[in-house]
Amino acid sequence: MELTGRIIAVIPAQSGVSARTGNNWMSQDYVIEVPGQYPRRCVFRILGEDRIKQFNIQNGEDVTVQFDIDAHEYNGRWFNDVRAYNILRGQVPQAAQPAGFPPQQPAQPTPFPPQQPAQQVQAAPFPPAGEAPAEGSSDDLPF
């Protein structure tokens, strides 16, 4: 999967020693904001000191993140993990844009007050009242 947006937070790296293997590990989290009418944010993680240095992601940078999503259980609760495996910089590739959607353009402000007078829409009047039903008609409504 891919997300294209701007890095809005770079969280300090975490490191330690694996209790299972005894090897050193390092990971770093980043927050990407995807533009749109309702901007979305997503936290993703890069594992490995070599990849963290290779990608060298900076705050405010526009990137396309290629990632996998996985879930794990801990103490009866489930958590999602978004792991990035590649970072693309520069022009957004066409493959990153959803099919059938035009590229997003920044919204243009509308002038206020409007430069053209708004057209008034007149509602159609209620139909004319009909004659009251005669006594003993089949209409059994009380009004």
Side-chain angles (χ1 to χ4, degrees), residues 8-126:
I8 60 170
V10 177
I11 294 141
Q14 299 174 346
S15 61
V17 177
S18 171
R20 190 172 43 142
T21 64
N23 295 334
N24 290 333
W25 60 269
M26 180 180 267
S27 71
Q28 189 164 10
D29 292 344
Y30 304 87
V31 180
I32 187 170
E33 184 175 67
V34 179
Q37 182 178 3
Y38 303 105
R40 296 173 294 156
R41 296 180 181 132
C42 180
V43 175
F44 66 92
R45 174 172 293 156
I46 296 180
L47 296 174
E49 185 176 5
D50 56 335
R51 285 186 163 198
I52 293 169
K53 288 180 180 179
Q54 172 190 355
F55 295 141
N56 191 25
I57 300 172
Q58 303 298 316
N59 200 7
E61 191 172 16
D62 291 327
V63 296
T64 297
V65 179
Q66 296 176 335
F67 61 92
D68 287 323
I69 299 176
D70 194 19
H72 62 277
E73 185 264 338
Y74 179 74
N75 288 342
R77 293 189 61 197
W78 285 88
F79 300 90
N80 289 324
D81 192 18
V82 179
R83 294 184 189 168
Y85 59 85
N86 195 16
I87 303 294
L88 304 173
R89 290 181 169 83
Q91 186 63 25
V92 178
Q94 290 298 326
Q97 304 219 357
F101 290 95
Q104 291 183 347
Q105 299 293 328
Q108 298 294 326
T110 55
F112 187 79
Q115 294 175 350
Q116 297 177 353
Q119 296 178 355
Q120 294 183 359
V121 177
Q122 294 190 356
F126 286 107

